[in-house]
Amino acid sequence: MSQSNNFWDNRPTLVTGATGLLGGWLVKRLLRLGADVVCVVRDTVPQSELIRSGSIDRVKVVRGDVGDRVFLERVLGEYEIDTVMHLAAQTIVGIANRNPISTFETNIAGTWQMLEACRHSPSVKQIVMASSDKAYGDCDTLPYVETTPLKGLHPYDVSKSCADLIAQAYGHTYKLPVAITRCGNFYGGGDLNWNRIIPGTIRSILQGEAPVIRSDGSYIRDYIYCEDGAAAYTLLAEQLANNSSLYGQAFNFSNETQVTVLDLVSQIVEMMGSELIPIVQNQASNEIQHQFLDATKAKEILNWSPDFTLDRGLEQTIIWYENFLDSQRHKLAETSGSFVDYATIEQLSLTDLAIQQVVHN
């Protein structure tokens, strides 16, 4: 989907949120394309894909907070950044419900600080900012299209609605070269937030335990594989370079497949050859019942299309977690002198996983 084979050659590219699920895959893609990648990292997450894949050894790492505009202006200037991929966010709904202020500070203030820093940095030519399908809030008319009003009601949804509108304002008012991505639920190898339905389900099955569904199982979502997401980001940046009419515009990215949580879990159970029956807790709150994106605009204007069906993406994801958990068990067994089960792995990883929960896709 790239415009040319050399667009990214040695291009100074800043990625925030690089220790998150999507960030790790995006960095790997940018490195394959030849970009000169700089990552803003606040916390060290040893189990993140950025570190486990070895990508961190091939990028420049700058430690700081996206809420610090002076810091961001220094990074943009000193590294002569040409393209910005702004993914950093607090992405966990439960954390947003418990700690709305920290979520607003990261997701909303972090967005305006980054955009203002870019506005004062003449080297910056393209900015791709991560919004979310959650920015639309709960809407009676589906699927969501880009003209659907943004009306989040709960803390996480509101944070994405606000950040999205701020980016639009900078694009239209200041002609800042920013475009916005609104994607479905990302999934893929490297997501170590076990509270999320796909990694949590896979791990439970590998442990021989019934997967747990926090909601009643009827919530409907669409899902997008992380490699498709990474490709969408790079394509949008390339298009921004040659088309100023895209400034301030938003694009939905989705494989346009609707699936209930219960059906998704059942599909994973079947693909993994298990007969376990999911436990439905019906305890979820402040979540939208039905979300579904229309990606027609991205297909027509950007010539984008996903490479992964849900089945194919899940196959790749299951393989990743099988390999990851197996390698973790053997590493721990080597250091402890005996075999270690998954529960022990989880206990030893609590600190790292807690950190990852506050760093985005």
Side-chain angles (χ1 to χ4, degrees), residues 141-293:
T141 303
L142 292 171
Y144 299 133
V145 294
E146 287 81 357
T147 55
T148 300
L150 306 184
K151 53 176 186 177
L153 293 177
H154 304 297
Y156 179 70
D157 309 337
V158 166
S159 76
K160 302 309 286 186
S161 298
C162 291
D164 195 312
L165 288 167
I166 289 167
Q168 291 182 55
Y170 270 81
H172 293 292
T173 303
Y174 304 109
K175 307 305 178 186
L176 197 69
V178 59
I180 302 140
T181 64
R182 298 173 186 162
C183 301
N185 289 14
F186 283 115
Y187 71 98
D191 185 356
L192 301 180
N193 176 19
W194 305 113
N195 287 326
R196 286 201 178 108
I197 194 65
I198 291 178
T201 297
I202 295 171
R203 187 185 65 167
S204 293
I205 294 171
L206 291 173
Q207 292 179 217
E209 300 174 355
V212 175
I213 297 175
R214 292 182 299 108
S215 68
D216 63 3
S218 67
Y219 288 22
I220 299 173
R221 298 286 185 269
D222 61 9
Y223 296 84
I224 180 170
Y225 186 57
C226 48
E227 291 191 60
D228 277 333
Y233 275 68
T234 55
L235 176 65
L236 186 51
E238 293 168 16
Q239 298 277 357
L240 273 170
N242 293 322
N243 189 352
S244 61
S245 71
L246 300 182
Y247 294 4
Q249 288 202 43
F251 291 87
N252 291 339
F253 294 100
S254 165
N255 66 7
E256 299 176 307
T257 300
Q258 301 182 73
V259 59
T260 68
V261 172
L262 183 57
D263 286 343
L264 177 66
V265 170
S266 299
Q267 182 174 349
I268 296 171
V269 169
E270 181 179 352
M271 292 176 71
M272 296 182 70
S274 172
E275 296 182 355
L276 292 165
I277 306 299
I279 297 171
V280 180
Q281 295 182 330
N282 194 19
Q283 295 177 352
S285 62
N286 294 345
E287 294 196 25
I288 299 167
Q289 181 71 32
H290 190 176
Q291 292 185 299
F292 176 38
L293 291 168

Side-chain angles (χ1 to χ4, degrees), residues 69 73 111-121 170 174 176:
R69 190 176 77 252
E73 289 184 5
T111 296
W112 81 54
Q113 298 287 25
M114 172 59 79
L115 294 174
E116 186 67 6
C118 289
R119 189 164 76 95
H120 294 285
S121 302
Y170 270 81
Y174 304 109
L176 197 69

